[in-house]
Amino acid sequence: MHTIKLKPKHLALAALIAAGAPLATPVLAQSTAASTPASELSEGEIRKVDKEARKLTIKHGELRNLDMAAMTMVFQVKDPAMLDQVKAGDHVRFKAERKGASLVVTELQPPLR
């Protein structure tokens, strides 16, 4: 007998299916909303802003949407204007997504100054 371990988001889906819920329920539709709820943003500290390379180095907490543990890493930015919003030492909330082989900051809340 094999045991299958499911991630929490998969457990919720399995529970809905087992309960006979149709797959196109409003609960599932909300996960594809265009704007990101604050609860889905990750927290981090800007360590370096590289305008020439269009990259940010961020020491971040867990990135739940990418199943990634806390660490410091370099990200590309979706919009180069994001680089003008932050400086090294700023604490920010952001969302990163996988785009091909790269990780890209797609949303960035500038720090309060």
Side-chain angles (χ1 to χ4, degrees), residues 56-107:
L56 288 172
T57 302
I58 305 174
K59 178 180 179 183
H60 61 80
E62 178 184 10
L63 302 180
R64 290 185 189 133
N65 66 314
L66 297 173
D67 289 329
M68 188 174 292
M71 65 181 80
T72 300
M73 59 188 305
V74 178
F75 296 89
Q76 293 180 349
V77 292
K78 178 180 176 181
D79 180 359
M82 292 177 177
L83 300 171
D84 294 325
Q85 298 175 349
V86 294
K87 65 181 182 337
D90 285 345
H91 290 270
V92 297
R93 294 179 60 80
F94 71 100
K95 181 172 183 182
E97 297 179 17
R98 195 172 304 279
K99 303 285 184 184
S102 301
L103 293 175
V104 180
V105 173
T106 57
E107 293 183 43

Side-chain angles (χ1 to χ4, degrees), residues 15-67:
L16 286 172
I17 292 170
L23 291 180
T25 62
V27 171
L28 296 177
Q30 290 175 357
S31 66
T32 61
S35 64
T36 303
S39 63
E40 291 184 22
L41 295 175
S42 300
E43 294 185 11
E45 179 186 344
I46 302 296
R47 292 298 183 108
K48 180 179 177 183
V49 177
D50 186 343
K51 291 183 181 182
E52 188 174 308
R54 295 182 174 187
K55 294 181 180 182
L56 288 172
T57 302
I58 305 174
K59 178 180 179 183
H60 61 80
E62 178 184 10
L63 302 180
R64 290 185 189 133
N65 66 314
L66 297 173
D67 289 329

